[in-house]
mmCIF file of all heavy atoms in Angstrom:
data_model
loop_
_atom_site.group_PDB
_atom_site.id
_atom_site.type_symbol
_atom_site.label_atom_id
_atom_site.label_comp_id
_atom_site.label_asym_id
_atom_site.label_seq_id
_atom_site.Cartn_x
_atom_site.Cartn_y
_atom_site.Cartn_z
ATOM 1 N N TYR J 1258 94.242 -23.186 -103.741
ATOM 2 C CA TYR J 1258 94.414 -21.803 -103.544
ATOM 3 C C TYR J 1258 95.619 -21.285 -104.381
ATOM 4 O O TYR J 1258 96.655 -21.976 -104.453
ATOM 5 C CB TYR J 1258 94.806 -21.468 -102.054
ATOM 6 C CG TYR J 1258 93.685 -21.905 -101.131
ATOM 7 C CD1 TYR J 1258 93.680 -23.163 -100.576
ATOM 8 C CD2 TYR J 1258 92.650 -20.991 -100.774
ATOM 9 C CE1 TYR J 1258 92.664 -23.576 -99.713
ATOM 10 C CE2 TYR J 1258 91.619 -21.406 -99.928
ATOM 11 C CZ TYR J 1258 91.659 -22.676 -99.380
ATOM 12 O OH TYR J 1258 90.624 -23.050 -98.540
ATOM 13 N N GLU J 1259 95.443 -20.169 -105.087
ATOM 14 C CA GLU J 1259 96.529 -19.652 -105.841
ATOM 15 C C GLU J 1259 97.449 -18.798 -104.933
ATOM 16 O O GLU J 1259 97.002 -18.040 -104.126
ATOM 17 C CB GLU J 1259 95.940 -18.660 -106.922
ATOM 18 C CG GLU J 1259 96.385 -19.009 -108.316
ATOM 19 C CD GLU J 1259 95.851 -18.067 -109.325
ATOM 20 O OE1 GLU J 1259 95.605 -16.904 -109.004
ATOM 21 O OE2 GLU J 1259 95.809 -18.485 -110.501
ATOM 22 N N VAL J 1260 98.735 -19.061 -105.059
ATOM 23 C CA VAL J 1260 99.789 -18.371 -104.253
ATOM 24 C C VAL J 1260 100.346 -17.209 -105.046
ATOM 25 O O VAL J 1260 100.674 -17.426 -106.236
ATOM 26 C CB VAL J 1260 100.870 -19.309 -103.773
ATOM 27 C CG1 VAL J 1260 101.861 -18.634 -102.962
ATOM 28 C CG2 VAL J 1260 100.210 -20.497 -103.011
ATOM 29 N N PRO J 1261 100.476 -16.041 -104.557
ATOM 30 C CA PRO J 1261 101.104 -14.930 -105.350
ATOM 31 C C PRO J 1261 102.527 -15.256 -105.679
ATOM 32 O O PRO J 1261 103.225 -15.943 -104.878
ATOM 33 C CB PRO J 1261 101.001 -13.766 -104.351
ATOM 34 C CG PRO J 1261 100.878 -14.348 -102.988
ATOM 35 C CD PRO J 1261 100.154 -15.666 -103.165
ATOM 36 N N PRO J 1262 102.953 -14.769 -106.773
ATOM 37 C CA PRO J 1262 104.341 -15.095 -107.215
ATOM 38 C C PRO J 1262 105.422 -14.261 -106.495
ATOM 39 O O PRO J 1262 106.074 -13.401 -107.099
ATOM 40 C CB PRO J 1262 104.301 -14.684 -108.706
ATOM 41 C CG PRO J 1262 103.285 -13.601 -108.777
ATOM 42 C CD PRO J 1262 102.277 -13.930 -107.751
ATOM 43 N N MET J 1263 105.633 -14.539 -105.265
ATOM 44 C CA MET J 1263 106.661 -13.907 -104.469
ATOM 45 C C MET J 1263 107.882 -14.731 -104.488
ATOM 46 O O MET J 1263 107.775 -16.018 -104.412
ATOM 47 C CB MET J 1263 106.208 -13.624 -103.050
ATOM 48 C CG MET J 1263 105.138 -12.503 -102.936
ATOM 49 S SD MET J 1263 104.809 -12.182 -101.154
ATOM 50 C CE MET J 1263 106.276 -11.326 -100.635
ATOM 51 N N GLU J 1264 109.065 -14.159 -104.426
ATOM 52 C CA GLU J 1264 110.306 -14.902 -104.322
ATOM 53 C C GLU J 1264 110.389 -15.527 -102.919
ATOM 54 O O GLU J 1264 109.831 -15.019 -101.984
ATOM 55 C CB GLU J 1264 111.509 -13.974 -104.515
ATOM 56 C CG GLU J 1264 111.610 -13.410 -105.971
ATOM 57 C CD GLU J 1264 111.927 -14.532 -106.948
ATOM 58 O OE1 GLU J 1264 112.765 -15.425 -106.625
ATOM 59 O OE2 GLU J 1264 111.424 -14.465 -108.052
ATOM 60 N N PRO J 1265 111.101 -16.651 -102.791
ATOM 61 C CA PRO J 1265 111.325 -17.224 -101.446
ATOM 62 C C PRO J 1265 112.025 -16.204 -100.566
ATOM 63 O O PRO J 1265 112.763 -15.329 -101.026
ATOM 64 C CB PRO J 1265 112.268 -18.436 -101.744
ATOM 65 C CG PRO J 1265 111.947 -18.791 -103.180
ATOM 66 C CD PRO J 1265 111.712 -17.504 -103.878
ATOM 67 N N MET J 1266 111.821 -16.328 -99.278
ATOM 68 C CA MET J 1266 112.365 -15.415 -98.324
ATOM 69 C C MET J 1266 113.916 -15.561 -98.297
ATOM 70 O O MET J 1266 114.408 -16.711 -98.457
ATOM 71 C CB MET J 1266 111.785 -15.592 -96.964
ATOM 72 C CG MET J 1266 110.280 -15.248 -96.892
ATOM 73 S SD MET J 1266 109.585 -15.362 -95.236
ATOM 74 C CE MET J 1266 110.275 -13.854 -94.483
ATOM 75 N N ASN J 1267 114.630 -14.515 -98.079
ATOM 76 C CA ASN J 1267 116.102 -14.553 -98.011
ATOM 77 C C ASN J 1267 116.438 -13.959 -96.689
ATOM 78 O O ASN J 1267 116.309 -12.745 -96.433
ATOM 79 C CB ASN J 1267 116.691 -13.748 -99.138
ATOM 80 C CG ASN J 1267 118.253 -13.736 -99.049
ATOM 81 O OD1 ASN J 1267 118.852 -14.399 -98.195
ATOM 82 N ND2 ASN J 1267 118.883 -12.990 -99.906
ATOM 83 N N PHE J 1268 116.946 -14.723 -95.699
ATOM 84 C CA PHE J 1268 117.177 -14.276 -94.313
ATOM 85 C C PHE J 1268 118.595 -13.771 -94.119
ATOM 86 O O PHE J 1268 118.872 -13.224 -92.988
ATOM 87 C CB PHE J 1268 116.954 -15.483 -93.375
ATOM 88 C CG PHE J 1268 115.590 -16.059 -93.468
ATOM 89 C CD1 PHE J 1268 115.454 -17.376 -93.927
ATOM 90 C CD2 PHE J 1268 114.480 -15.427 -93.039
ATOM 91 C CE1 PHE J 1268 114.172 -17.948 -94.081
ATOM 92 C CE2 PHE J 1268 113.212 -15.940 -93.105
ATOM 93 C CZ PHE J 1268 113.024 -17.316 -93.624
ATOM 94 N N LYS J 1269 119.456 -13.805 -95.088
ATOM 95 C CA LYS J 1269 120.828 -13.413 -94.924
ATOM 96 C C LYS J 1269 121.001 -12.008 -94.375
ATOM 97 O O LYS J 1269 120.516 -11.053 -95.068
ATOM 98 C CB LYS J 1269 121.609 -13.615 -96.231
ATOM 99 C CG LYS J 1269 123.089 -13.266 -96.216
ATOM 100 C CD LYS J 1269 123.858 -14.239 -95.309
ATOM 101 C CE LYS J 1269 125.344 -13.955 -95.400
ATOM 102 N NZ LYS J 1269 126.160 -14.826 -94.493
ATOM 103 N N SER J 1270 121.660 -11.829 -93.249
ATOM 104 C CA SER J 1270 121.886 -10.507 -92.649
ATOM 105 C C SER J 1270 120.621 -9.756 -92.332
ATOM 106 O O SER J 1270 120.699 -8.535 -92.123
ATOM 107 C CB SER J 1270 122.825 -9.720 -93.548
ATOM 108 O OG SER J 1270 124.077 -10.393 -93.717
ATOM 109 N N ARG J 1271 119.448 -10.412 -92.326
ATOM 110 C CA ARG J 1271 118.232 -9.727 -91.994
ATOM 111 C C ARG J 1271 117.737 -10.117 -90.571
ATOM 112 O O ARG J 1271 118.092 -11.164 -90.065
ATOM 113 C CB ARG J 1271 117.136 -10.062 -93.027
ATOM 114 C CG ARG J 1271 117.391 -9.294 -94.362
ATOM 115 C CD ARG J 1271 116.511 -9.828 -95.446
ATOM 116 N NE ARG J 1271 116.305 -8.805 -96.496
ATOM 117 C CZ ARG J 1271 115.929 -9.063 -97.692
ATOM 118 N NH1 ARG J 1271 115.608 -10.340 -98.031
ATOM 119 N NH2 ARG J 1271 115.787 -8.154 -98.631
ATOM 120 N N TRP J 1272 116.930 -9.231 -89.989
ATOM 121 C CA TRP J 1272 116.472 -9.464 -88.605
ATOM 122 C C TRP J 1272 115.092 -10.161 -88.641
ATOM 123 O O TRP J 1272 114.164 -9.727 -89.274
ATOM 124 C CB TRP J 1272 116.363 -8.125 -87.916
ATOM 125 C CG TRP J 1272 117.664 -7.538 -87.552
ATOM 126 C CD1 TRP J 1272 118.436 -6.694 -88.242
ATOM 127 C CD2 TRP J 1272 118.363 -7.814 -86.333
ATOM 128 N NE1 TRP J 1272 119.596 -6.334 -87.609
ATOM 129 C CE2 TRP J 1272 119.601 -7.043 -86.367
ATOM 130 C CE3 TRP J 1272 118.149 -8.566 -85.170
ATOM 131 C CZ2 TRP J 1272 120.557 -7.068 -85.363
ATOM 132 C CZ3 TRP J 1272 119.092 -8.594 -84.148
ATOM 133 C CH2 TRP J 1272 120.260 -7.873 -84.264
ATOM 134 N N VAL J 1273 115.007 -11.257 -87.821
ATOM 135 C CA VAL J 1273 113.820 -11.991 -87.734
ATOM 136 C C VAL J 1273 113.482 -12.107 -86.214
ATOM 137 O O VAL J 1273 114.325 -12.509 -85.420
ATOM 138 C CB VAL J 1273 113.928 -13.462 -88.280
ATOM 139 C CG1 VAL J 1273 112.590 -14.235 -88.096
ATOM 140 C CG2 VAL J 1273 114.268 -13.381 -89.760
ATOM 141 N N MET J 1274 112.220 -11.687 -85.852
ATOM 142 C CA MET J 1274 111.790 -11.833 -84.417
ATOM 143 C C MET J 1274 111.278 -13.238 -84.205
ATOM 144 O O MET J 1274 110.560 -13.803 -85.069
ATOM 145 C CB MET J 1274 110.702 -10.765 -84.128
ATOM 146 C CG MET J 1274 110.077 -10.944 -82.780
ATOM 147 S SD MET J 1274 108.613 -9.939 -82.481
ATOM 148 C CE MET J 1274 109.303 -8.302 -82.463
ATOM 149 N N ILE J 1275 111.628 -13.848 -83.042
ATOM 150 C CA ILE J 1275 111.128 -15.114 -82.670
ATOM 151 C C ILE J 1275 110.626 -15.041 -81.266
ATOM 152 O O ILE J 1275 111.411 -14.714 -80.373
ATOM 153 C CB ILE J 1275 112.215 -16.199 -82.791
ATOM 154 C CG1 ILE J 1275 112.755 -16.302 -84.225
ATOM 155 C CG2 ILE J 1275 111.587 -17.579 -82.392
ATOM 156 C CD1 ILE J 1275 113.845 -17.337 -84.370
ATOM 157 N N THR J 1276 109.341 -15.291 -81.056
ATOM 158 C CA THR J 1276 108.814 -15.338 -79.687
ATOM 159 C C THR J 1276 108.923 -16.722 -79.116
ATOM 160 O O THR J 1276 108.947 -17.725 -79.859
ATOM 161 C CB THR J 1276 107.366 -14.861 -79.623
ATOM 162 O OG1 THR J 1276 106.531 -15.772 -80.367
ATOM 163 C CG2 THR J 1276 107.196 -13.445 -80.195
ATOM 164 N N GLY J 1277 109.064 -16.836 -77.806
ATOM 165 C CA GLY J 1277 109.327 -18.144 -77.242
ATOM 166 C C GLY J 1277 110.612 -18.692 -77.591
ATOM 167 O O GLY J 1277 110.829 -19.929 -77.761
ATOM 168 N N ALA J 1278 111.665 -17.785 -77.672
ATOM 169 C CA ALA J 1278 113.030 -18.181 -78.190
ATOM 170 C C ALA J 1278 113.952 -18.735 -77.130
ATOM 171 O O ALA J 1278 115.044 -19.126 -77.537
ATOM 172 C CB ALA J 1278 113.612 -16.932 -78.859
ATOM 173 N N SER J 1279 113.518 -18.856 -75.894
ATOM 174 C CA SER J 1279 114.499 -19.255 -74.881
ATOM 175 C C SER J 1279 114.589 -20.783 -74.728
ATOM 176 O O SER J 1279 115.547 -21.268 -74.124
ATOM 177 C CB SER J 1279 114.056 -18.658 -73.489
ATOM 178 O OG SER J 1279 112.766 -19.200 -73.112
ATOM 179 N N ALA J 1280 113.645 -21.522 -75.370
ATOM 180 C CA ALA J 1280 113.680 -22.974 -75.196
ATOM 181 C C ALA J 1280 112.898 -23.645 -76.315
ATOM 182 O O ALA J 1280 112.208 -22.983 -77.095
ATOM 183 C CB ALA J 1280 113.116 -23.390 -73.855
ATOM 184 N N GLY J 1281 113.027 -24.962 -76.440
ATOM 185 C CA GLY J 1281 112.204 -25.721 -77.361
ATOM 186 C C GLY J 1281 112.323 -25.332 -78.777
ATOM 187 O O GLY J 1281 113.425 -24.999 -79.302
ATOM 188 N N LEU J 1282 111.199 -25.320 -79.458
ATOM 189 C CA LEU J 1282 111.180 -25.053 -80.873
ATOM 190 C C LEU J 1282 111.681 -23.666 -81.199
ATOM 191 O O LEU J 1282 112.445 -23.437 -82.179
ATOM 192 C CB LEU J 1282 109.755 -25.183 -81.458
ATOM 193 C CG LEU J 1282 109.566 -24.937 -82.948
ATOM 194 C CD1 LEU J 1282 110.432 -25.894 -83.777
ATOM 195 C CD2 LEU J 1282 108.068 -25.019 -83.337
ATOM 196 N N GLY J 1283 111.324 -22.673 -80.375
ATOM 197 C CA GLY J 1283 111.740 -21.280 -80.628
ATOM 198 C C GLY J 1283 113.293 -21.168 -80.550
ATOM 199 O O GLY J 1283 113.877 -20.464 -81.436
ATOM 200 N N ARG J 1284 113.906 -21.740 -79.614
ATOM 201 C CA ARG J 1284 115.375 -21.701 -79.504
ATOM 202 C C ARG J 1284 115.981 -22.392 -80.695
ATOM 203 O O ARG J 1284 116.978 -21.869 -81.277
ATOM 204 C CB ARG J 1284 115.832 -22.366 -78.194
ATOM 205 C CG ARG J 1284 117.333 -22.236 -77.959
ATOM 206 C CD ARG J 1284 117.755 -22.824 -76.640
ATOM 207 N NE ARG J 1284 119.181 -22.539 -76.357
ATOM 208 C CZ ARG J 1284 120.145 -23.229 -76.819
ATOM 209 N NH1 ARG J 1284 119.960 -24.256 -77.636
ATOM 210 N NH2 ARG J 1284 121.416 -22.966 -76.534
ATOM 211 N N GLU J 1285 115.495 -23.535 -81.116
ATOM 212 C CA GLU J 1285 116.047 -24.259 -82.243
ATOM 213 C C GLU J 1285 115.915 -23.477 -83.546
ATOM 214 O O GLU J 1285 116.767 -23.455 -84.416
ATOM 215 C CB GLU J 1285 115.412 -25.656 -82.364
ATOM 216 C CG GLU J 1285 116.027 -26.506 -83.430
ATOM 217 C CD GLU J 1285 117.475 -26.910 -83.136
ATOM 218 O OE1 GLU J 1285 117.887 -26.933 -81.894
ATOM 219 O OE2 GLU J 1285 118.236 -27.166 -84.067
ATOM 220 N N LEU J 1286 114.749 -22.858 -83.698
ATOM 221 C CA LEU J 1286 114.536 -21.994 -84.887
ATOM 222 C C LEU J 1286 115.553 -20.797 -84.971
ATOM 223 O O LEU J 1286 116.123 -20.548 -86.012
ATOM 224 C CB LEU J 1286 113.065 -21.363 -84.827
ATOM 225 C CG LEU J 1286 111.959 -22.319 -85.149
ATOM 226 C CD1 LEU J 1286 110.590 -21.738 -84.689
ATOM 227 C CD2 LEU J 1286 111.900 -22.678 -86.604
#
């Protein structure tokens, strides 16, 4: 599969939603 030429994501000072964030993998993420 060809992947579009997008730059890697940059999370610095940006908001990311995480569901299941209270425990396990979600909390660690």
Side-chain angles (χ1 to χ4, degrees):
Y1258 300 90
E1259 237 184 22
V1260 179
M1263 291 184 71
E1264 292 293 322
M1266 297 184 73
N1267 179 5
F1268 303 110
K1269 181 67 174 176
S1270 300
R1271 285 170 157 162
W1272 286 91
V1273 179
M1274 176 190 289
I1275 302 177
T1276 64
S1279 64
L1282 179 61
R1284 185 178 188 278
E1285 187 64 28
L1286 287 165

